[in-house]
Amino acid sequence: MAAVIFDGVTKRYGDVVAVDDLDLTIDHGEFMVLLGPSGCGKTTALRMIAGLEEISDGVLQIGDRVVNHVDPRDRDVAMVFQSYALYPHMTVSKNIESPLITRPTVVEGSDQPRKLTKAERAERIAEAARMLDLAPYLDRKPAALSGGQRQRVALARAVVSRPAVYLMDEPLSNLDAKLRAQTRAELVDLHQRFGTTIVYVTHDQIEAMTMATRIAIMSQGKLQQVGTPRDVYDAPANLFVAQFIGTPPMNTAPGKVSGDAVVVGESRFRFAGRHDDGRDVVVGVRPEHLTIGGDGAVKGVVRHVEWLGYEALVTCEVGADAANRFTLRQDASATPPAVGDTVPLQVAPERVHVFDAASTERLGG
Amino acid sequence: MGIEAEELVPGVVVAGPRSEAPPEAPNRSWLAAVGWYVLLIGLSLLVLLPVWLTLMRALSTPAAAVKPGASPFLPHEVQWGVFRRAIDQGNLWAALGRSMVVTILITGGQLVTSVLAAYAFAYLRFPFKRVIFALFMATLLLPIEVTLLPNLHTVRDLDWFNSYQGMAVPFMATALGTFLIRQGFLGVPSEIRDATRLEGYGHWSYLWKFAVPLTRPVIASFTVISFLAAYNQYLWPRAVVTDSNNWSTIQIALRDLTTTPETSNIAVAGALVAAIPIVVLLILFSRQIVQGLTAGAVKG
Ligand SMILES: Nc1ncnc2c1ncn2[C@@H]1O[C@H](COP(=O)(O)OP(=O)(O)OP(=O)(O)O)[C@@H](O)[C@H]1O
Ligand SMILES: [Mg+2]
């Protein structure tokens, strides 16, 4: 059963289209990450699931229910906000209890949600606190907690009502790098243990790649691609996705199809599969798939070498056009070429991505 | 926070201004602390001086206090009974009681109406909201003299002269309170409001469980402002109290304390009695007042 379905959902603020005709099915138990650059409409999409934004057009379903006009409290969702939105005047314990006070809650062994008794609430608080290591802090106010602890309180407040769907808006962005990595692992663990549906918004591709079961990539309000982290990395649906995912980003250059290769200047990038001769395309190669050596079908002039300790990034100009800069990752132990050298480059044909120059869509085999 | 150390050139660390404390620093900071205390004590004395002078004036026999060479800082021919006499003669306890009733009615009424109106202006959507808010705020510009006569007519028509409602009801709504508390509500992060909506709190429970507690410093300082203004009212009670024996508030009773040059200290003593509730209020609310005055000035 699908947990959330967007069917042609659009959100407009006056003339601004924040989310444009979104079709997306989020399956039950999925960890779906909405990924995209700032302002692409991720938060808006998430807030529409929560019911905090009205839907301008289209149909939104949670479970098998159309929720376009359902009050947020009746949607059986919980949200972790970017600011955490903890209640500063309440203790941690009261914060965690808060979602259980006014709403009927789903309880095991009964299909009718009901209000919990005080004892049941206490039990739920204790359970959430145990799960997130918050037991020692239950009587503190949020101001007396560290950033990581606050983040865990926000999570505890979400899990306590055991909602059908968890919504998270960049919940890790206020943590330092170490804590972020640790919390990432905890979230994945949480997801696996309880098999809950999570919709997670971020602009950080590392978070997306490491946690998601599927990623939905958005740009300017439009959905670009949905797929597993592998899918979107190995077979990006268009140029935007190709360049958005991966660090350093995929190398691209405009060229023309000729036989079994894309010609860029004097270089020929052989591809697997078939494309129409003479077609204007953009060729794409990830830095880790490009190596120095081979038969010299592709040649580059070294412009820049960055030695990072664990690897070196070598930037070459391909095809005599200064705009066509290709970066390749070289093992740190190899001797990097000197700047100004002309070097042969090679890439396996099945690693060459070809995009239509006009539509920027991926051209399959 | 000082600048600690900067890497201007890679690998070369340049010491910043705070890098090393001068050796005599402990002494200096001790001196600085003493200096601050001297300054603060001086300022406190300056503020307390008028109160002290008033007290001396009340306790001294008037004729002795105005003799050439008599220090205003010391009591002369002390009359300990002056407070008793002021209270008896002006019936001050009764007047103080009435003042408290009126003040609490006004302050309580202002709090309730301001909180509710502020909520509407901060959180609800309704037609012409901005215009209505602007009109509401415009009433701040009207001095009491402008509304005195029309209000007086209304109160007379209602037959509310010499009554608590006559003294309190016309002041139970205020643009100032609405404005201040609305600002407080607007300062509550919108994600907190969103979280409570998801958790199922409606307008009423959000207002009392979240919005009001989160704006407590603002509400407390407004309470003090409102209390002071209501307690110190003079013109309006003067106008609606015709039976001053039974309906005087403290400010009216003070004025009615008949004094001659020989008993002028009775009026001064009465003024000190009238100040008691204010002092109590300031002591009770001092923390909130300071918080309210600095709210928004300090982050966090
Ligand atoms: N209340 C609003 N009124 C008008 N425009 C809005 C409003 N909220 C969002 N927008 C616009 O809608 C677009 C999408 O906003 P949204 O907050 O969903 O972006 P986002 O993908 O979450 O970005 P970020 O990563 O910066 O949080 C933006 O262009 C934004 O300016
Ligand atoms: Mg956002």
Side-chain angles (χ1 to χ4, degrees), chain A residues 47 50-51 73 79 81 83 85-90 98-99 101-103 157, chain B residues 125 189 191-202 205 209-210 213-214:
Chain A
R47 289 172 60 87
R73 62 174 278 161
M79 186 153 173
F81 292 87
S83 68
L86 300 183
Y87 308 134
H89 59 302
M90 294 183 180
S98 168
I101 302 273
T102 63
R103 283 187 309 182
R157 200 171 65 180
Chain B
R125 279 197 283 178
E191 292 199 335
I192 286 197
R193 173 79 187 114
D194 292 338
T196 64
R197 280 179 66 195
L198 273 172
E199 289 172 8
Y201 294 91
S205 48
K209 285 187 178 164
F210 298 91
L214 289 173

Side-chain angles (χ1 to χ4, degrees), chain A residues 14-296:
Chain A
D15 290 340
V16 182
V17 184
V19 173
D20 193 358
D21 196 16
L22 177 63
D23 289 312
L24 178 65
T25 300
I26 299 165
D27 290 326
H28 196 74
E30 235 183 335
F31 197 134
M32 172 66 81
V33 173
L34 304 184
L35 176 68
S38 188
C40 73
K42 312 176 292 280
T43 299
T44 306
L46 198 72
R47 289 172 60 87
M48 285 194 286
I49 304 178
L52 298 170
E53 300 290 346
E54 272 172 43
I55 294 166
S56 312
D57 240 323
V59 178
L60 179 70
Q61 256 179 271
I62 298 180
D64 41 22
R65 197 160 54 130
V66 173
V67 294
N68 284 43
H69 300 292
V70 174
D71 199 81
R73 62 174 278 161
D74 299 323
R75 294 190 178 203
D76 198 16
V77 301
M79 186 153 173
V80 178
F81 292 87
Q82 183 170 357
S83 68
Y84 309 149
L86 300 183
Y87 308 134
H89 59 302
M90 294 183 180
T91 61
V92 168
S93 160
K94 289 280 175 210
N95 264 282
I96 299 175
E97 187 180 27
S98 168
L100 306 176
I101 302 273
T102 63
R103 283 187 309 182
T105 307
V106 181
V107 278
E108 266 152 44
S110 149
D111 45 333
Q112 207 54 356
R114 61 172 171 81
K115 285 208 183 175
L116 300 182
T117 64
K118 203 166 184 326
E120 285 173 316
R121 293 204 301 265
E123 205 175 293
R124 291 267 182 124
I125 297 169
E127 186 191 328
R130 200 171 337 113
M131 202 158 96
L132 290 149
D133 288 328
L134 287 168
Y137 314 112
L138 283 178
D139 293 326
R140 290 203 202 163
K141 297 258 178 82
L145 298 177
S146 73
Q149 289 160 349
R150 282 179 210 179
Q151 204 271 347
R152 295 211 301 274
V153 176
L155 273 179
R157 200 171 65 180
V159 301
V160 75
S161 62
R162 299 185 197 146
V165 182
Y166 290 84
L167 308 173
M168 305 191 181
D169 192 357
E170 314 213 15
L172 308 187
S173 59
N174 293 331
L175 304 180
D176 65 37
K178 189 169 156 229
L179 208 51
R180 208 178 305 163
Q182 186 186 331
T183 316
R184 269 197 328 246
E186 277 168 15
L187 277 177
V188 170
D189 186 50
L190 208 72
H191 173 247
Q192 280 167 354
R193 263 197 292 168
F194 296 96
T196 45
T197 312
I198 299 181
V199 187
Y200 185 106
V201 160
T202 183
H203 62 259
D204 182 326
Q205 49 163 310
I206 310 267
E207 281 177 22
M209 298 301 266
T210 51
M211 294 193 290
T213 53
R214 283 198 302 160
I215 302 178
I217 296 163
M218 295 177 68
S219 168
Q220 298 183 341
K222 289 199 177 67
L223 184 64
Q224 305 293 318
Q225 186 173 9
V226 193
T228 63
R230 254 224 123 78
D231 289 343
V232 297
Y233 192 82
D234 288 346
N238 57 37
L239 258 182
F240 174 82
V241 176
Q243 289 179 315
F244 190 72
I245 303 254
T247 326
M250 183 185 281
N251 302 301
T252 56
K256 247 188 185 21
V257 174
S258 160
D260 65 346
V262 176
V263 180
V264 177
E266 275 144 36
S267 295
R268 297 173 57 84
F269 291 90
R270 268 193 301 277
F271 49 74
R274 269 207 48 75
H275 298 295
D276 299 337
D277 245 11
R279 183 167 190 164
D280 284 319
V281 296
V282 174
V283 68
V285 181
R286 291 209 180 274
E288 58 270 35
H289 298 146
L290 198 61
T291 50
I292 294 175
D295 58 6

Side-chain angles (χ1 to χ4, degrees), chain B residues 81-136:
Chain B
V82 66
F83 291 103
R84 182 80 267 149
R85 266 191 284 151
I87 289 164
D88 290 345
Q89 189 183 323
N91 211 354
L92 291 191
W93 285 147
L96 195 72
R98 282 190 288 270
S99 269
M100 289 309 292
V101 172
V102 172
T103 303
I104 288 169
L105 281 176
I106 291 178
T107 305
Q110 289 193 347
L111 277 175
V112 171
T113 57
S114 298
V115 163
L116 293 177
Y119 188 87
F121 284 124
Y123 291 114
L124 303 184
R125 279 197 283 178
F126 52 90
F128 306 114
K129 179 161 135 175
R130 295 170 65 104
V131 177
I132 295 173
F133 186 67
L135 281 176
F136 208 62

Side-chain angles (χ1 to χ4, degrees), chain B residues 137-160:
Chain B
M137 288 304 113
T139 63
L140 278 174
L141 304 176
L142 299 179
I144 181 172
E145 287 78 4
V146 177
T147 52
L148 187 71
L149 282 179
N151 277 348
L152 213 50
H153 277 284
T154 312
V155 168
R156 193 190 51 205
D157 291 348
L158 290 168
D159 206 7
W160 279 2

Side-chain angles (χ1 to χ4, degrees), chain A residues 304-317:
Chain A
H304 201 61
V305 177
E306 278 178 286
W307 192 78
L308 299 172
Y310 54 95
E311 66 178 10
L313 296 178
V314 180
T315 305
C316 309
E317 224 169 85

